[in-house]
Amino acid sequence: MGEGPDPGQAEEIIGRLLELFRRMQANFEETTAGLGLTVAEGQALHQLDTPVPMRSMAESLWCDASYVTVLADRLEARGLIMRVPDPDDRRVRRLALTEAGRALRDELIATVHATTPALAGLDAAQRAGLLELLKVLATDRDAPR
Amino acid sequence: MGEGPDPGQAEEIIGRLLELFRRMQANFEETTAGLGLTVAEGQALHQLDTPVPMRSMAESLWCDASYVTVLADRLEARGLIMRVPDPDDRRVRRLALTEAGRALRDELIATVHATTPALAGLDAAQRAGLLELLKVLATDRDAPR
DNA sequence: TATTGTTATACTCTATAACTATA
DNA sequence: TATAGTTATAGAGTATAACAATA
């Protein structure tokens, strides 16, 4: 009789993850709100180190493409991003930071780094271990609806 | 001159955590939808191992009391819970599972355990490592608004 | 024919404010 | 006066469907 997966362990992991994410969400919401952004706008900005096709953004955010249009409209209206054409495929539009957008992104990331509960209590080795786990979890991804 | 924390690594960790969070939310949404529940209804059901005053439920879910009324109305209409009076304080109503509600809660929990992205791709050793990290991260918590 | 992005629309979640009943 | 719960309402987030342009 081999031992199956430990249900008690799984339940504890899920419970702790849900609590951690609740804390992260609250923290991130507070940070973005302080910068005049919604959570989704903040996440989009975080993705934009380099220009990103809108379709890719939808996959990163696990949301519908039409919602990326909404987010892009708002960020563009505030002068934080621009829609730039893709040289290879004329259907594609990439989202790219403006100067102001870059500055706000830097501020966002600095604040998140300083306050996010998922990093505060970890030393270098633990951070490396966490990153390894997150890479494993990123592999088997279904497509967002 | 000691090396400070690695900003690039921290940025990657945060990005992956944010994405994982979105995926877990999407997965939980799919699971609850398959049972005819919204996310909040599923969370409420998860809380109801034993009867809970509506005010306490609002604190657990980090939401306004008026929304608990909405949730309770829907769950009660489906025969999953009942409002039971509190013997000590006639203002208080406790939410308690019915037989059907208990069955659905069991099914919900089993499905979440089987499908949540934070567990699906990990072997036993990785789960143990994740749990260790989560324990480190479980530090001081703020109270909900 | 399939895919990227947009528009218009509608639905769902959730909070705020005013109210009743009880403490 | 303060607290538990309810009602009505409004705002924000997000998806769906139909569409245009391009592949």
Side-chain angles (χ1 to χ4, degrees), chain B residues 38 40 63-64 66-67 74 89-91:
Chain B
T38 67
C63 71
D64 191 83
S66 66
Y67 189 51
R74 296 203 300 238
D89 187 334
R90 287 166 56 196
R91 295 173 304 180

Side-chain angles (χ1 to χ4, degrees), chain A residues 40-61 63-77 79-87 89 91-99 101-102 105:
Chain A
E41 288 166 1
Q43 268 187 283
L45 224 56
H46 186 273
Q47 281 299 114
L48 286 178
D49 187 27
T50 62
V52 169
M54 295 179 72
R55 157 80 25 176
S56 307
M57 179 64 76
E59 285 170 12
S60 298
L61 299 183
C63 70
D64 190 84
S66 65
Y67 189 52
V68 175
T69 297
V70 174
L71 294 176
D73 284 347
R74 294 203 300 239
L75 294 172
E76 200 173 35
L80 299 173
I81 66 165
M82 295 182 313
R83 286 167 161 98
V84 300
D86 184 299
D89 187 334
R91 295 172 303 182
V92 174
R93 312 177 82 176
R94 298 179 116 96
L95 305 182
L97 292 177
T98 61
E99 284 292 326
R102 170 73 57 187
R105 178 176 184 273

Side-chain angles (χ1 to χ4, degrees), chain B residues 101-120:
Chain B
R102 169 73 57 186
L104 194 62
R105 177 177 183 272
D106 290 345
E107 196 177 347
L108 171 68
I109 290 178
T111 306
V112 169
H113 285 186
T115 64
T116 195
L119 290 175

Side-chain angles (χ1 to χ4, degrees), chain B residues 36-114:
Chain B
L37 299 168
T38 67
V39 169
E41 288 166 3
Q43 282 176 318
L45 223 56
H46 188 273
Q47 277 302 113
L48 283 178
D49 189 26
T50 62
V52 169
M54 296 180 71
R55 158 72 33 169
S56 306
M57 178 63 74
E59 286 169 14
S60 297
L61 299 183
W62 290 60
C63 71
D64 191 83
S66 66
Y67 189 51
V68 175
T69 297
V70 174
L71 295 175
D73 284 348
R74 296 203 300 238
L75 294 173
E76 198 173 37
R78 285 187 54 190
L80 298 173
I81 66 165
M82 296 182 311
R83 286 169 160 96
V84 299
D86 185 298
D88 301 331
D89 187 334
R90 287 166 56 196
R91 295 173 304 180
V92 174
R93 312 177 83 176
R94 298 179 116 96
L95 305 183
L97 291 176
T98 62
E99 285 291 327
R102 169 73 57 186
L104 194 62
R105 177 177 183 272
D106 290 345
E107 196 177 347
L108 171 68
I109 290 178
T111 306
V112 169
H113 285 186

Side-chain angles (χ1 to χ4, degrees), chain A residues 12-29 115-122 130 133-134 137, chain B residues 13-14 16-18 20-21 24 62 118 130-141:
Chain A
E12 183 175 1
I13 289 176
I14 291 176
R16 288 183 183 274
L17 272 174
L18 290 175
E19 182 184 345
L20 172 62
F21 285 148
R22 204 179 342 107
R23 289 171 60 199
M24 279 187 65
Q25 186 184 35
N27 182 74
F28 193 74
E29 196 172 337
T115 63
T116 194
L119 291 174
L122 299 184
L130 175 58
L133 285 171
L134 289 171
L137 292 175
Chain B
I13 290 176
I14 290 175
R16 289 182 183 275
L17 276 172
L18 289 173
L20 177 61
F21 174 61
M24 283 188 66
W62 290 60
L130 175 58
L131 186 51
E132 274 319 299
L133 284 172
L134 290 171
K135 284 179 178 173
V136 173
L137 291 173
T139 52
D140 56 334
R141 51 182 303 177

